[in-house]
Amino acid sequence: MAIILSPLPYAAAALESHISAETIKLHHGKHHGSYVDKVNALAKEAKLADATLEEIISAARKSKDQKLFNQAAQAWNHGFYWSSLAAGKTRPSAELTAAIKDSFGDRAALDKQWSAAATGHFGSGWAWLLLSKGKLSIETTHDAETPVGGSDIPLAVIDVWEHAYYLDHRNKRQAYVEAVLAHLLNWDFASENFARAGQWTYPVN
Ligand code: FE2
């Protein structure tokens, strides 16, 4: 069963004024689309044509097939990124708000840490809000690296590859990151991921 490029959960122009339709169309159709095409070709060669994307990532990591890992992890990370953005204002659930307070103090402190990590990451990568050993944390991964297959549970992510922001913000990554944090972060999605994780790994009070 081939991996498919899922449609965006909003119109390409829905995030305009922060991320242009041109960026979204190119990023989703060309960049994400290319990762999906390549993972399908490479998975077939590796006799993983029937595997899920998560299974392909884990198998490639295990067999040290970096070429396949990069394409598969990028395909997964991008799907997660599109869901991490929303066109309208969203808020963390009461449970996630309590966890943010417990781990960071408040939303402003979380945003500050997330922005600093995303802006300060050298080169291409991803800035994640993770549930790690019962605590929320901000971590970056380099290039295609992904939490998939590890023990940390991703709640939301910001793509910090240049293709995510260069057309709109040129070299000003911080402006893009701050626009995402202030206007586009999908807290409904993060809250759903937090609630699901809480069912079996994190005692939410
Ligand atoms: Fe990207």
Side-chain angles (χ1 to χ4, degrees), residues 6-12 14-15 24 28 32 78-88 186 189:
S6 298
L8 288 165
Y10 31 73
L15 314 180
I24 296 288
H28 179 257
H32 188 181
H78 278 90
F80 199 80
Y81 170 65
W82 301 125
S83 295
S84 296
L85 304 178
N186 187 348
F189 179 65

Side-chain angles (χ1 to χ4, degrees), residues 27-28 31-32 35 74 77-78 81-82 125-126 159-164 176:
H27 196 173
H28 179 257
H31 290 275
H32 188 181
Y35 295 128
Q74 281 295 83
N77 290 351
H78 278 90
Y81 170 65
W82 301 125
W126 301 86
D159 186 344
V160 298
W161 284 58
E162 275 191 347
H163 62 227
Y176 152 75

Side-chain angles (χ1 to χ4, degrees), residues 64-82:
K64 296 188 168 40
D65 184 341
Q66 193 68 39
K67 216 166 135 187
L68 176 58
F69 176 84
N70 285 341
Q71 301 298 336
Q74 281 295 83
W76 193 94
N77 290 351
H78 278 90
F80 199 80
Y81 170 65
W82 301 125

Side-chain angles (χ1 to χ4, degrees), residues 120-193:
H121 182 83
F122 185 77
S124 298
W126 301 86
W128 304 86
L129 174 63
L130 298 173
L131 181 59
S132 177
K133 298 184 184 78
K135 278 273 197 186
L136 300 181
S137 70
I138 300 295
E139 304 287 342
T140 62
T141 57
H142 195 56
D143 287 346
E145 192 51 64
T146 180
V148 171
S151 58
D152 295 342
I153 296 158
L155 304 185
V157 74
I158 302 174
D159 186 344
V160 298
W161 284 58
E162 275 191 347
H163 62 227
Y165 60 87
Y166 205 82
L167 288 177
D168 302 325
H169 299 278
R170 299 297 169 186
N171 59 326
K172 297 185 181 67
R173 185 191 286 178
Q174 188 169 359
Y176 152 75
V177 168
E178 287 181 357
V180 169
L181 288 170
H183 303 287
L184 302 179
L185 213 285
N186 187 348
W187 286 104
D188 290 340
F189 179 65
S191 299
E192 283 163 24
N193 290 325

